[in-house]
Amino acid sequence: MPAGLRDLTIRQLRSLAALATGGSITAAASRVNLTQPAVTQQLRNLQDLAGLPLVQRTSEGMRLTEAGRELLALSQRIEASIATCELSLEALAGRTGGRVSIGSVSTAKYFVPYAIAAFSKLYPKIDIKLSVGNRETIRRAVHDYEMDIAIMGRPPSDVDVEVQLIGDHPHILVASGQHPVASRDVRSLSDISGEVFITREVGSGTRLLMEGLFDANGLNPKIGMEMGSNETVKQAVIAGLGVAFISAHTVASELDDGRLVMLDIEGLPVVRQWFVVRRKDKIMLPPAQAVLDFMSTQGARYLPKLSQLSR
């Protein structure tokens, strides 16, 4: 190998590879994001180091000489080695492998799995463990260091956490389309205060929000049934057993297909936010940090679309 070749640079080799692919200085410059004079200079410097012509002009464009093809093969080997090294470093850093424990309040299960699926396509070697529960269950798990991160609507107040916004979380009142209240002219909470309410269990974030809303209006909702999941709340409302104050994200499909209707009540929807949280004093390994970054920057893309709220 010529002594001078030891001083070649990656930029020079990439300029040569771009020329081999594009067939012209103009095309090469576009591929490597350099100006045409800069690419020409890179190739000239590489040729000086090689001590042989690397390029020849033909009627079909610029082509590599035999010496140029030798350096192109060297470039390909170096690029492959760089890619392999990057994968090794990623694995050592934990960004492409490892395990992450995620907690999600049950209301968030309508978008969190989709976000995790998208993340897993980017980082297939990171093993995600997802635990779903009501707000109190997830709060306790965060408090006890059982989870790396959690997705919830109201961060815990008794734990020092880092909080990052995912997106808006609207809450609405819904009823079956066949329920008498659906055909009445209802405008305020007082208009429906006598209706039977199907609610989540005590301790859930939705229940707390509903109670706060009615307390602020000096009303006491008539609780008919308490359910441990949004699915059972929805089914009870669809069956006509009552109305419900519920996360709009949990009923997006039922609103679209007409199984449920949204009641047009003054002051609604109540819009809260979705957050991704972690204990500040819990060590975050690179895989967990990758999930946290993804949820905070991309999580909003997976929130259910709410056509009725945009009308």
Side-chain angles (χ1 to χ4, degrees):
M1 183 171 71
L5 210 56
R6 298 181 184 277
D7 297 325
L8 63 78
T9 67
I10 293 294
R11 178 166 288 182
Q12 291 167 355
L13 289 176
R14 286 175 175 166
S15 295
L16 183 71
L19 178 66
T21 300
S24 70
I25 295 294
T26 301
S30 177
R31 286 178 176 273
V32 295
N33 294 318
L34 293 175
T35 64
Q36 294 179 41
V39 169
T40 299
Q41 188 61 51
Q42 294 294 329
L43 294 173
R44 185 177 293 119
N45 291 342
L46 182 60
Q47 183 166 284
D48 289 345
L49 293 173
L52 290 168
L54 304 180
V55 180
Q56 63 184 18
R57 295 182 183 275
T58 72
S59 60
E60 298 177 351
M62 302 183 76
R63 296 290 182 264
L64 300 188
T65 63
E66 185 175 354
R69 290 193 294 273
E70 284 292 329
L71 283 174
L72 177 62
L74 173 62
S75 173
Q76 293 167 339
R77 292 195 298 272
I78 290 174
E79 293 288 6
S81 295
I82 290 173
T84 299
C85 184
E86 285 179 337
L87 290 175
S88 298
L89 293 176
E90 289 283 317
L92 288 172
R95 286 189 290 271
T96 57
R99 178 173 297 178
V100 182
S101 177
I102 301 176
S104 168
V105 294
S106 55
T107 305
K109 69 182 181 181
Y110 295 89
F111 77 92
V112 169
Y114 298 100
I116 291 175
F119 175 85
S120 295
K121 289 180 180 179
L122 297 175
Y123 301 94
K125 294 184 180 180
I126 294 181
D127 181 25
I128 304 291
K129 177 186 176 183
L130 175 63
S131 300
V132 178
N134 68 19
R135 181 183 181 279
E136 177 55 27
T137 299
I138 300 303
R139 183 208 63 79
R140 187 166 56 248
V142 172
H143 180 275
D144 295 341
Y145 296 89
E146 295 175 4
M147 294 174 176
D148 294 304
I149 65 173
I151 290 87
M152 56 202 316
R154 190 158 62 92
S157 58
D158 61 338
V159 184
D160 190 14
V161 293
E162 174 187 319
V163 179
Q164 296 192 39
L165 176 67
I166 295 176
D168 286 344
H169 183 197
H171 292 73
I172 59 177
L173 277 162
V174 297
S176 164
Q178 285 70 49
H179 193 287
V181 75
S183 58
R184 284 177 20 214
D185 183 22
V186 292
R187 297 293 180 182
S188 66
L189 283 177
S190 60
D191 291 335
I192 61 167
S193 60
E195 299 294 336
V196 174
F197 279 78
I198 312 299
T199 72
R200 286 291 304 276
E201 77 284 8
V202 174
S204 77
T206 304
R207 176 68 175 266
L208 290 170
L209 189 57
M210 183 193 77
E211 291 174 345
L213 175 66
F214 276 84
D215 285 346
N217 286 271
L219 300 170
N220 290 312
K222 182 180 178 181
I223 306 300
M225 297 181 182
E226 291 185 354
M227 304 291 190
S229 73
N230 291 306
E231 286 301 317
T232 50
V233 169
K234 287 193 295 185
Q235 293 305 316
V237 175
I238 290 171
L241 296 178
V243 300
F245 178 81
I246 196 167
S247 160
H249 287 153
T250 69
V251 293
S253 62
E254 289 81 4
L255 290 173
D256 285 341
D257 63 26
R259 285 179 289 165
L260 291 174
V261 296
M262 181 177 66
L263 302 180
D264 188 12
I265 303 294
E266 183 180 354
L268 295 180
V270 176
V271 180
R272 293 295 184 262
Q273 284 76 40
W274 285 117
F275 299 102
V276 54
V277 306
R278 73 170 187 94
R279 281 198 70 127
K280 284 186 176 179
D281 59 353
K282 181 174 175 60
I283 296 175
M284 288 286 283
L285 295 177
Q289 186 64 52
V291 176
L292 179 67
D293 293 342
F294 182 87
M295 284 294 182
S296 62
T297 59
Q298 303 295 321
R301 296 175 56 188
Y302 304 95
L303 294 175
K305 301 298 183 289
L306 303 164
S307 58
Q308 293 200 25
L309 292 182
S310 61
R311 292 174 185 172

